[in-house]
């Protein structure tokens, strides 16, 4: 096993990839149109009615699923960005602590005022 940063990088890649994959699934669902009326093709009014019920339920379920997939995609993308931001902040803190001149670089508060 490598150092800890290898493990974190792989996890971050997976989270980011998951967000992109879920966005692709959402786009695919968005591209599916409504099921057409096939009532003439079934040869049975009862079967056509059952298919109509299925089509209506599918539309409702697809819209709900699409919304949930989109929410998960946004969460995964936000998590990947947040973890990446924290990783960069930690790296900067470590670099500042390891500065050979002994200077650390903390957060900047604002300009210094002379005489104070």
């Amino acid at each position: 096993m490598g150092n800890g940063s290898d493990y974190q990088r792989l996890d971050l890649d997976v989270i980011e990839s998951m967000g992109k994959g879920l966005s692709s699934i959402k786009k695919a669902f968005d591209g599916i149109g409504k099921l057409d009326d096939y009532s003439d093709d079934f040869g049975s009014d009862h079967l056509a009615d059952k298919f109509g019920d299925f089509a209506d339920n599918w539309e409702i379920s697809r819209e709900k699923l699409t919304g949930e997939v989109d929410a998960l995609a946004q969460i995964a993308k936000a998590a990947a960005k947040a973890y990446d931001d924290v990783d960069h902040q930690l790296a900067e803190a470590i670099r500042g602590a390891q500065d050979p001149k002994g200077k650390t670089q903390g957060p900047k508060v604002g300009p210094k005022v002379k005489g104070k």
Side-chain angles (χ1 to χ4, degrees), residues 57-71:
N57 288 334
W58 165 247
E59 185 65 25
I60 293 166
S61 297
R62 183 182 61 84
E63 287 176 7
K64 183 178 176 184
L65 183 60
T66 300
E68 291 173 0
V69 167
D70 186 43

Side-chain angles (χ1 to χ4, degrees), residues 5 10 14 16 18 22-23 25 27 29-30 34 44 53 56 66 68 70 72 74 77 83 90 101 103 108 110 114:
S5 65
L10 292 173
V14 169
E16 188 175 14
M18 183 176 65
L22 288 167
S23 289
I25 291 169
K27 286 179 186 176
F29 271 106
D30 285 342
K34 285 191 166 196
S44 163
D53 290 344
D56 291 341
T66 300
E68 291 173 0
D70 186 43
L72 287 173
Q74 298 309 315
K77 289 176 185 178
Y83 288 132
L90 289 173
K101 296 178 185 172
K103 296 179 184 176
K108 294 182 180 178
K114 287 186 178 182

Side-chain angles (χ1 to χ4, degrees), residues 12-108:
L12 189 57
D13 289 342
V14 169
I15 293 169
E16 188 175 14
S17 177
M18 183 176 65
K20 290 177 183 177
L22 288 167
S23 289
S24 295
I25 291 169
K26 184 209 179 283
K27 286 179 186 176
F29 271 106
D30 285 342
I32 298 172
K34 285 191 166 196
L35 294 174
D36 292 329
D37 181 16
Y38 294 101
S39 57
D40 293 339
D41 299 327
F42 286 108
S44 163
D45 289 339
H46 178 71
L47 190 55
D49 288 343
K50 292 296 177 187
F51 183 79
D53 290 344
F54 168 79
D56 291 341
N57 288 334
W58 165 247
E59 185 65 25
I60 293 166
S61 297
R62 183 182 61 84
E63 287 176 7
K64 183 178 176 184
L65 183 60
T66 300
E68 291 173 0
V69 167
D70 186 43
L72 287 173
Q74 298 309 315
I75 289 168
K77 289 176 185 178
K81 182 174 180 349
Y83 288 132
D84 191 47
D85 290 347
V86 168
D87 186 48
H88 286 296
Q89 290 171 7
L90 289 173
E92 286 297 318
I94 290 169
R95 276 191 220 99
Q98 293 175 344
D99 186 352
K101 296 178 185 172
K103 296 179 184 176
T104 59
Q105 295 186 13
K108 294 182 180 178

